[in-house]
């Protein structure tokens, strides 16, 4: 379309070249955008889900790839090899969707009712991995929001089956293990492509109004455990020693009894041998026994007086008051 210009008394028609220039610039921008959107890069820990006109087309691995320009084909990158984490009752980053998270929201997430109708604050972290990108994107409408709701539901179920003492003290590992199993079963049921790595329970606390009372209970429990451990230590140190001493005494008694029995049997056997010899030759045996007895007794006698009944003419003297040598 020409543009009319008046110079003096004359009018001139000037062709309008600007629309054509605008179309050329727009076409050039479209070509540049198409080329720019045709190349994409997938990182090592990601998988690219290729969409053609909004429909699932396939998955591509890591590296530099080319596709049809947008909006004909688009790519969704899913970090299938990265360990992801979701926090409950606390946040490393207190911002959520560009807004600050208040304390009331965190307390509401971690506030749990136990099986004995007590209340505990149970913050935790769920470490997970996206195992199947297709299921994660297309099997559930809001996979992240649904997964968060699943975490809260399973944790409340697990805490509701236990007493407050178990939650605060001895049952933490059992709670984490049960939570992992139940949450993985629910993920498989929903078929959302998520794999649970581990559940990390953080510092479990009672509600603020009763924290002092619970701290006193925990202190008493720890003192109880310490005294029990000390008693078990004394038991393990004293009882084995007493058993060893008793065993030694019993063995010594058994040895002594065996020795006395063997000696008695030997003495009885010796007596029987002497009796047999005596019966064969009484006089000889009697004389031998007498001589053996004298030979055994005589060296032990300190004062000795020897008399001969056939001695005559000699007055035997008995030196009283003097000890013979």
């Amino acid at each position: 379309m020409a543009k009319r210009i008046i110079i003096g008394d004359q009018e001139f028609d000037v062709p309008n070249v600007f629309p054509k220039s605008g179309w050329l610039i727009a076409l050039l921008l479209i070509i540049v955008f198409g080329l720019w959107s045709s190349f994409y890069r997938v990182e090592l820990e990601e998988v690219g889900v290729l969409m053609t006109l909004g429909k699932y087309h396939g998955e591509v691995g890591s590296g530099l790839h080319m596709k049809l320009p947008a909006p004909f084909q688009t790519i969704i990158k899913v970090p299938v090899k990265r360990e992801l984490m979701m926090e409950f009752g606390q946040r490393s980053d207190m911002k959520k969707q560009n807004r600050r998270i208040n304390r009331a929201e965190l307390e509401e997430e971690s506030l749990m009712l136990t099986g004995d109708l007590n209340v505990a604050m149970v913050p935790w972290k769920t470490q997970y991995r996206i195992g199947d990108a297709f299921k994660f994107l297309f099997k559930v409408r809001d996979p992240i929001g649904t997964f968060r709701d699943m975490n809260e539901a399973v944790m409340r179920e697990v805490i509701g089956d236990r007493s407050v003492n178990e939650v605060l003290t001895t049952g933490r590992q059992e709670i984490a293990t049960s939570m992992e199993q139940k949450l993985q079963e629910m993920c498989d049921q929903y078929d959302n492509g998520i794999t649970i790595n581990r559940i990390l329970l953080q510092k479990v606390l009672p509600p603020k109004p009763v924290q002092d009372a619970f701290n006193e209970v925990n202190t008493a429990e720890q003192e109880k455990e310490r005294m029990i451990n000390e008693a078990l230590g004394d038991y393990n140190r004293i009882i084995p020693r007493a058993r060893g001493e008793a065993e030694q005494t019993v063995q010594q008694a058994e040895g002594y009894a065996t020795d006395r029995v063997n000696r008695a049997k030997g003495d009885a056997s010796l007596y029987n041998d002497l009796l047999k010899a005596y019966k064969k030759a009484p006089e000889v045996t009697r004389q031998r026994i007498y001589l053996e007895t004298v030979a055994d007794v005589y060296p032990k006698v300190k004062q000795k007086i020897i008399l001969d009944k056939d001695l005559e003419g000699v007055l035997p003297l008995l030196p009283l008051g003097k000890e013979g040598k």
Side-chain angles (χ1 to χ4, degrees):
M1 181 176 181
K3 183 178 181 181
R4 184 173 296 274
I5 299 177
I6 300 175
I7 301 176
D9 296 333
Q10 298 182 354
E11 295 184 359
F12 299 92
D13 292 331
V14 180
N16 191 358
V17 297
F18 293 101
K20 294 183 178 180
S21 301
W23 283 109
L24 290 175
I25 293 173
L27 181 60
L28 181 61
L29 290 177
I30 292 174
I31 294 174
V32 171
F33 175 75
L35 292 175
W36 175 78
S37 64
S38 297
F39 294 93
Y40 64 95
R41 181 181 183 85
V42 179
E43 301 297 333
L44 290 175
E45 60 184 11
E46 298 175 336
V47 64
V49 178
L50 190 62
M51 308 290 292
T52 302
L53 296 176
K55 184 178 180 181
Y56 175 79
H57 184 79
E59 296 181 5
V60 294
S62 60
L64 185 64
H65 303 277
M66 184 177 180
K67 63 177 179 60
L68 295 177
F72 300 102
Q73 281 190 329
T74 57
I75 190 74
I76 303 175
K77 299 177 183 179
V78 182
V80 295
K81 297 182 181 179
R82 184 190 309 165
E83 185 176 71
L84 306 174
M85 183 176 67
M86 188 174 288
E87 295 178 297
F88 299 86
Q90 62 181 14
R91 296 290 189 279
S92 301
D93 184 6
M94 290 297 291
K95 289 185 178 181
K96 180 181 179 182
Q97 296 179 353
N98 298 324
R99 67 180 181 88
R100 298 288 297 180
I101 300 176
N102 57 41
R103 297 287 179 181
E105 290 185 56
L106 299 180
E107 291 182 359
E108 184 178 355
E109 283 183 351
S110 61
L111 197 62
M112 303 284 172
L113 182 65
T114 61
D116 53 359
L117 302 182
N118 284 293
V119 178
M121 308 292 292
V122 187
W124 78 96
K125 296 179 181 179
T126 299
Q127 294 180 348
Y128 66 97
R129 184 175 57 83
I130 301 174
D132 191 312
F134 175 80
K135 292 180 179 180
F136 179 77
L137 293 175
F138 304 111
K139 289 293 186 178
V140 180
R141 182 183 298 274
D142 180 13
I144 296 299
T146 303
F147 185 60
R148 175 170 288 277
D149 294 339
M150 291 164 59
N151 271 270
E152 292 191 35
V154 174
M155 180 59 78
R156 294 184 189 281
E157 177 187 354
V158 173
I159 296 298
D161 291 336
R162 287 162 177 80
S163 66
V164 67
N165 289 331
E166 291 179 296
V167 175
L168 293 175
T169 55
T170 59
R172 292 171 55 86
Q173 185 59 45
E174 183 181 353
I175 290 172
T177 302
S178 179
M179 172 74 176
E180 291 175 11
Q181 295 175 352
K182 291 179 178 293
L183 185 58
Q184 186 61 64
E185 290 176 0
M186 185 172 287
C187 288
D188 296 339
Q189 181 181 356
Y190 276 65
D191 203 21
N192 59 6
I194 293 178
T195 301
I196 306 301
N197 289 344
R198 64 183 61 85
I199 302 295
L200 302 176
L201 284 181
Q202 304 304 299
K203 188 176 182 180
V204 181
L205 296 173
K208 291 182 179 179
V210 295
Q211 278 187 6
D212 293 339
F214 272 91
N215 290 335
E216 293 178 3
V217 172
N218 289 336
T219 302
E221 289 288 342
Q222 293 173 1
E223 183 67 17
K224 173 185 173 182
E225 291 294 329
R226 185 186 64 80
M227 296 180 68
I228 290 175
N229 292 333
E230 290 180 356
L232 289 176
D234 293 338
Y235 175 87
N236 293 331
R237 183 178 66 256
I238 295 174
I239 296 301
R241 183 176 63 188
R243 287 175 177 171
E245 292 176 355
E247 186 67 22
Q248 182 181 6
T249 302
V250 171
Q251 292 178 355
Q252 289 177 351
E254 292 176 349
Y256 178 75
T258 302
D259 179 68
R260 291 302 299 266
V261 170
N262 292 336
R263 287 178 180 272
K265 289 180 179 180
D267 293 342
S269 178
L270 177 62
Y271 178 79
N272 291 331
D273 294 340
L274 289 175
L275 181 60
K276 290 179 182 179
Y278 180 80
K279 288 181 178 180
K280 292 180 180 178
E283 293 298 330
V284 175
T285 304
R286 186 183 299 111
Q287 186 67 23
R288 182 175 63 82
I289 294 174
Y290 173 76
L291 294 175
E292 290 177 353
T293 304
V294 170
D296 184 51
V297 174
Y298 186 74
K300 300 177 183 179
V301 178
K302 297 181 179 180
Q303 186 177 2
K304 307 176 184 67
I305 300 174
I306 302 174
L307 298 177
D308 188 356
K309 64 181 181 177
D310 297 330
L311 183 64
E312 296 179 356
V314 179
L315 180 63
L317 297 176
L318 180 61
L320 300 175
K322 295 182 178 180
E323 185 179 359
K325 299 192 180 177

